[in-house]
Amino acid sequence: MKEVITLFKEQFHSLGIIFRISSYEDRASYQSHYLGMVWEYLYPLIQICIYWLVFGVGLKHGQSNGVDYLPWMMIGITPWFFMNRATLDASKSIYQRVGMVSKMKFPVSALPTIKIVSNLSSFWTMLVISVVVSLLYGIRPSIYWFESIYYFICMLVFLLAFGIFNSAVSVLIRDYHVLLQSVMRMLFYLSGVLFNFESGAFPPIVTRILQLNPFFYVVSGFRESLMGQGWFWQRPTLTLEFWLFVLFFLLVGSHLHYKFRSRFVDLI
């Protein structure tokens, strides 16, 4: 637990440089492209159109829980796009930049956080677009919308814990990042992003196993809050399981990070 406290202290003391570096990396990533930062938003919009045409039109998934498929899918896929990219970027953040920060007075533990923060701009833009589409489809603001603040915090804390864990393991086991990419592709279909597996089409035991996925907790949570379908304390078991996952990755990830941090440069 002492290592977890140290981890959060380093994040807090490095907030200024985290935001500066993440802003620089956003501009640097697309400086050689004609459309520049537009690709940050254009790519997920193209993906959403493809999934809507395939699942919403082609496979006739007209509604889910009484809500039209397009806003239902967009609200769920927006946090997924952010979590997927932030997870993969954070996992390789240390072995990409550890040589640079080893020459600076800068905590290596902040590198995964930089990757998380640098992806926030596209998340906010996609969330606004999803809300606008939802309003056009008849979904109206309600008090449940304030619940999305809780799920946003859940998402950030989970990504920090998962990012610290993945970034440390990726240095120790170089094949781990490739494995993580494959796992994230699989989780895209198992996190309830494109279809509602709680509708009764799956056996109860399968549904219960899929609900253990922390990505599902965040995706379904944003849907519940923005569509006014319930409060997080009405699902106490899922909430407890999610925070146990977060605690596990925080404890194990911070332990691995501080145990091997002095050797990161040598291991790479």
Side-chain angles (χ1 to χ4, degrees), residues 5-261:
I5 296 174
T6 303
L7 174 68
F8 279 106
K9 285 183 177 178
E10 289 185 345
Q11 308 307 304
F12 178 76
H13 292 309
S14 305
L15 280 178
I17 194 168
I18 285 174
F19 282 101
R20 288 196 297 272
I21 294 179
S22 63
S23 176
Y24 168 77
E25 288 194 347
D26 280 343
R27 296 191 300 268
S29 297
Y30 296 96
Q31 65 178 357
S32 61
H33 297 71
Y34 288 113
L35 296 181
M37 288 293 294
V38 174
W39 283 112
E40 190 81 11
Y41 318 109
L42 188 59
Y43 175 75
L45 287 174
I46 293 173
Q47 293 292 101
I48 287 173
C49 289
I50 293 172
Y51 295 135
W52 175 66
L53 289 172
V54 173
F55 293 93
V57 178
L59 298 181
K60 307 298 182 184
H61 287 184
Q63 290 186 335
S64 182
N65 290 335
V67 180
D68 285 286
Y69 183 76
L70 181 59
W72 182 89
M73 186 262 291
M74 287 190 67
I75 291 174
I77 207 170
T78 295
W80 168 260
F81 274 143
F82 170 67
M83 289 189 292
N84 177 63
R85 184 166 179 179
T87 296
L88 295 176
D89 287 351
S91 70
K92 59 184 179 180
S93 60
I94 290 182
Y95 70 72
Q96 281 185 333
R97 299 291 186 182
V98 71
M100 176 188 71
V101 299
S102 63
K103 304 173 184 177
M104 304 166 53
K105 191 178 180 181
F106 180 78
V108 180
S109 64
L111 291 176
T113 309
I114 291 173
K115 294 298 184 179
I116 295 171
V117 173
S118 67
N119 285 291
L120 274 175
S121 59
S122 61
F123 168 76
W124 290 122
T125 303
M126 292 302 303
L127 186 62
V128 170
I129 294 174
S130 299
V131 170
V132 171
V133 171
S134 300
L135 293 173
L136 293 175
Y137 273 80
I139 298 174
R140 294 294 174 255
S142 69
I143 192 172
Y144 291 101
W145 281 29
F146 290 103
E147 188 182 21
S148 61
I149 299 174
Y150 162 75
Y151 285 108
F152 178 72
I153 295 173
C154 289
M155 181 172 63
L156 291 185
V157 176
F158 170 69
L159 288 175
L160 172 62
F162 201 38
I164 289 293
F165 174 84
N166 289 330
S167 60
V169 177
S170 294
V171 174
L172 301 175
I173 307 173
R174 296 301 300 273
D175 292 340
Y176 178 78
H177 181 71
V178 179
L179 174 64
L180 182 64
Q181 287 178 312
S182 301
V183 171
M184 293 300 294
R185 292 191 191 102
M186 179 182 66
L187 288 177
F188 174 67
Y189 297 99
L190 300 180
S191 300
V193 177
L194 297 179
F195 57 88
N196 183 9
F197 57 72
E198 293 182 304
S199 61
F202 288 82
I205 183 63
V206 175
T207 301
R208 188 68 187 91
I209 293 173
L210 294 176
Q211 287 175 333
L212 295 174
N213 176 6
F215 291 97
F216 164 77
Y217 182 78
V218 175
V219 169
S220 63
F222 270 97
R223 283 189 177 129
E224 286 183 356
S225 57
L226 294 179
M227 294 181 178
Q229 295 176 342
W231 299 100
F232 69 89
W233 57 76
Q234 293 175 320
R235 307 178 85 175
T237 303
L238 290 182
T239 300
L240 177 61
E241 291 167 348
F242 171 81
W243 286 110
L244 286 176
F245 269 109
V246 172
L247 182 60
F248 169 80
F249 286 120
L250 268 178
L251 291 174
V252 178
S254 59
H255 175 71
L256 292 175
H257 179 88
Y258 289 108
K259 181 178 181 180
F260 294 100
R261 183 158 75 173

